[in-house]
Amino acid sequence: MTATLVICGPPTSNGDLHVGHVAGPYVGADVHVRYLRAVGREAVFASCTDDSQTYVVTAAARLGTTPPELVAESSALIPETFAAMGIELDGFSPTDDGYRSTVYDYVTRLYDKGKFKLRKVRLPYGERSQQFLVEGFIGGDCPTCLADSRGGFCEGCGHPIDFDGLIEPYSILDRGEEISYREAEILVFPMEEYRERLIAFYEAKSSNWRPHALALMKEVLAKPLPDYPITYPVSWGLPSPFPETPGQTLNAWVEGMPASIYCTAWAQRNTGAGSPENDTAWRAENAARPVVFMGFDPLYVWGLVHVAELMAHEGRYALTDTLLVNEFYELESEKFSTSKGHVVWARDLVAEVPRDIVRFYMCLSAPEHARTNFSRATLTKVAGERLIGPWNELAATLAKLTAEVGDSQPLPVSPQTPSRIAAMIARFTPCYELETFSLSRAADLIVQYTDRLRQHAERVRTQNLDRETLSARLGEVFLQLRALISCSAPILIDLAARAGTEVRLTPGDFEVSTTEAFPVPVLDLSMPSTDSR
Ligand SMILES: [Zn+2]
């Protein structure tokens, strides 16, 4: 069976994860994996930290620590935050010898096949620090959209930025430093050679990737593709293994694909599935389906550079099947900014609000096609009014009616009930499938069907039915509620566990003639006492 290899875009180890990191890609990946398993499809869900980024160095300087200390601290915090959010990875691999050898094997194979070229490029240079300034070390205006950007690519418009392309460059670590340009010989990956194959790749994706991602690919492919730097003359990162570039390091972004390959193998070993070599799961002959859940900003790298690298491996690896790309999530209508302290840490939020409610609100407001906003006041209002209120009213009505019916006889289920459930499952299923994936629609369906059952139960309550009819009507409501909890279970993980319901999205599972009443767990905006969780 084809396994889906689900990768959470590796978080940079420059601090813990805030709400903007977690909403969208990480919750989305978790929901998708829970769905795949519910319908009997194999999945491996993995991630790891991205330690070699220049952003680790700039964040360490801002925080008054050292890059290795920041990496160690972040690498401990990030998996804890995933766990606190209920994002259940099969593996979160460390940056160990296996990681490094996977990266070196990956780039050396390309080098040995002659896929890289030595090129003299013109790079920004800090006259005071006597250092080349690339990627997160250099700021300036993007030549494509004119927004303030870092080197490499623009996180606003997504376009690549050539080596000396930033307008009015400045040093991130030393704002007043005089910037000049110096030449350096580095290894590059000639992206232009892959143009035709990339165009064909994107034509094949045109019906099932999100439109903004496809639009960027079209814009970028309409212009010459700049050579992509494989090595940089900077000191932070994995040392370049190539004789032409002594003293240089690998561009951190080049680690992205081998990092994904390694964390997949780590996750497989973690779950006892085994993997003879670190790259076995990603090998083309295993016909796996690699899927990356990510933010829009590094789409150029993941969508073009990494795909071209996989092509350059000449059939060794499966090509990325889907990049599920999210837009920016804002905090109180401003960009999240760790450096400005405009941030809500995911772990702090789930210490105060039950994670099901956090996951529900992140899904409802997920930045799927445009930037969306996180606001604590809106979370309280929307979750309270649209989910918790109607849900608890339904729970209370059902508790009352169950008491009226009395002993715990099985409740009869009308022949029409399974077809109502099939209709509900048919609405949820596309929200969890990649081609039509939508956390926001799934969360909205939870609200819609909760309110429908609340009204249904309320009508039953006010009808003064005899005991037999009441049993039959309750049977309809309870079975549909069981199905609703099941459909919601990829998002409301603790509710499903408290109700003893697994994720089931096969209508046949609900073709029964009787069902049981059950105590409906209530939802709360603040943390419940420990014994009810
Ligand atoms: Zn731009």
Side-chain angles (χ1 to χ4, degrees):
M1 184 169 50
T2 301
T4 305
L5 310 178
V6 178
I7 302 295
C8 275
T12 304
S13 38
N14 60 349
D16 200 358
L17 299 174
H18 59 62
V19 164
H21 292 125
V22 174
Y26 301 144
V27 169
D30 181 68
V31 167
H32 183 58
V33 170
R34 287 172 191 272
Y35 165 73
L36 289 176
R37 292 191 172 138
V39 294
R41 287 192 242 158
E42 198 188 322
V44 185
F45 182 22
S47 192
C48 59
T49 52
D50 192 2
D51 298 347
S52 299
Q53 291 290 349
T54 48
Y55 297 92
V56 172
V57 180
T58 52
R62 189 180 72 241
L63 297 167
T65 181
T66 65
E69 278 169 350
L70 183 58
V71 165
E73 192 188 313
S74 311
S75 306
L77 291 173
I78 290 169
E80 284 175 14
T81 296
F82 279 140
M85 286 293 308
I87 295 164
E88 270 179 24
L89 294 150
D90 296 317
F92 191 83
S93 61
T95 308
D96 57 5
D97 289 345
Y99 174 94
R100 285 181 281 273
S101 71
T102 307
V103 172
Y104 284 134
D105 284 353
Y106 183 90
V107 293
T108 304
R109 270 197 192 90
L110 292 174
Y111 175 86
D112 289 345
K113 286 183 195 296
K115 303 296 181 185
F116 300 149
K117 292 194 161 47
L118 193 63
R119 201 189 126 187
K120 195 172 275 180
V121 297
R122 196 167 159 262
L123 295 172
Y125 189 84
E127 288 295 337
R128 185 146 53 204
S129 57
Q130 298 282 294
Q131 282 178 1
F132 284 101
L133 302 175
V134 300
E135 300 282 334
F137 295 136
I138 187 82
D141 291 348
C142 163
T144 302
C145 74
L146 308 178
D148 183 49
S149 176
R150 303 291 170 267
F153 58 83
C154 171
E155 76 167 32
C157 68
H159 280 255
I161 297 173
D162 215 352
F163 302 99
D164 55 359
L166 279 172
I167 301 165
E168 294 182 25
Y170 59 89
S171 164
I172 297 297
L173 289 170
D174 180 1
R175 240 351 237 262
E177 185 176 27
E178 187 195 334
I179 306 294
S180 63
Y181 292 95
R182 291 198 185 183
E183 287 190 330
E185 270 204 320
I186 63 169
L187 280 171
V188 297
F189 181 51
M191 288 289 295
E192 192 56 29
E193 291 177 14
Y194 301 87
R195 160 178 299 281
E196 294 312 315
R197 275 181 283 171
L198 289 168
I199 290 172
F201 177 83
Y202 276 100
E203 274 169 5
K205 302 295 176 196
S206 62
S207 63
N208 50 15
W209 282 27
R210 287 186 173 164
H212 191 193
L214 292 168
L216 175 64
M217 296 301 135
K218 207 171 172 181
E219 276 183 31
V220 171
L221 284 164
K223 300 191 290 191
L225 297 170
D227 286 342
Y228 194 72
I230 297 299
T231 65
Y232 275 134
V234 299
S235 59
W236 180 252
L238 293 180
S240 159
F242 310 117
E244 295 90 335
T245 54
Q248 296 189 12
T249 51
L250 290 176
N251 177 357
W253 291 104
V254 176
E255 293 176 37
M257 205 35 73
S260 303
I261 289 170
Y262 183 64
C263 68
T264 302
W266 177 273
Q268 286 181 310
R269 290 186 190 120
N270 234 2
T271 54
S275 183
E277 289 178 69
N278 284 333
D279 68 354
T280 303
W282 282 69
R283 297 277 279 275
E285 64 266 28
N286 292 323
R289 185 183 193 198
V291 175
V292 183
F293 282 74
M294 56 180 291
F296 181 82
D297 34 330
L299 180 57
Y300 175 74
V301 179
W302 284 86
L304 286 170
V305 180
H306 289 343
V307 173
E309 287 164 15
L310 292 170
M311 289 167 173
H313 276 279
E314 296 176 350
R316 184 178 177 89
Y317 295 119
L319 300 186
T320 314
D321 179 89
T322 305
L323 295 176
L324 212 294
V325 179
N326 288 278
E327 305 295 320
F328 283 104
Y329 200 45
E330 295 191 331
L331 172 60
E332 309 292 354
S333 302
E334 266 181 63
K335 254 180 96 165
F336 276 87
S337 169
T338 311
S339 56
K340 292 178 191 149
H342 186 65
V343 71
V344 173
W345 300 106
R347 70 169 62 221
D348 292 347
L349 184 62
V350 293
E352 291 172 25
V353 179
R355 64 184 181 184
D356 270 5
I357 302 302
V358 172
R359 289 168 65 102
F360 165 77
Y361 180 69
M362 282 181 174
C363 289
L364 194 68
S365 60
E368 297 176 347
H369 295 289
R371 60 184 59 202
T372 55
N373 188 46
F374 175 87
S375 142
R376 187 65 185 271
T378 314
L379 181 157
T380 303
K381 182 175 158 54
V382 168
E385 289 176 7
R386 297 188 64 195
L387 179 67
I388 297 171
W391 182 273
N392 290 348
E393 197 183 317
L394 168 65
T397 307
L398 287 178
K400 193 164 178 292
L401 294 174
T402 307
E404 274 178 38
V405 170
D407 56 33
S408 57
Q409 292 291 327
L411 304 167
V413 171
S414 70
Q416 301 88 336
T417 304
S419 68
R420 308 267 187 279
I421 290 173
M424 181 162 70
I425 290 174
R427 299 311 303 157
F428 273 98
T429 300
C431 301
Y432 298 141
E433 286 286 350
L434 278 182
E435 293 75 8
T436 42
F437 192 78
S438 174
L439 294 174
S440 165
R441 278 203 305 279
D444 199 49
L445 288 174
I446 295 174
V447 165
Q448 180 187 322
Y449 287 115
T450 297
D451 200 53
R452 175 178 169 274
L453 288 179
R454 180 193 65 79
Q455 292 181 39
H456 194 132
E458 184 57 20
R459 277 199 303 277
V460 174
R461 190 184 69 79
T462 53
Q463 277 170 345
N464 273 327
L465 302 169
D466 63 72
R467 191 158 167 237
E468 197 181 329
T469 316
L470 178 58
S471 292
R473 301 298 305 279
L474 265 186
E476 289 170 12
V477 180
F478 269 111
L479 189 65
Q480 291 184 68
L481 179 58
R482 185 64 87 187
L484 172 58
I485 295 173
S486 185
C487 289
S488 315
I491 296 171
L492 303 178
I493 55 177
D494 292 326
L495 176 74
R498 286 159 67 204
T501 301
E502 293 183 344
V503 193
R504 285 182 306 172
L505 289 127
T506 311
D509 288 345
F510 298 95
E511 278 166 14
V512 292
S513 56
T514 62
T515 190
E516 307 275 337
F518 59 92
V520 181
V522 295
L523 294 173
D524 209 313
L525 251 184
S526 53
M527 295 305 283
S529 59
T530 45
D531 60 4
S532 65
R533 279 170 71 84

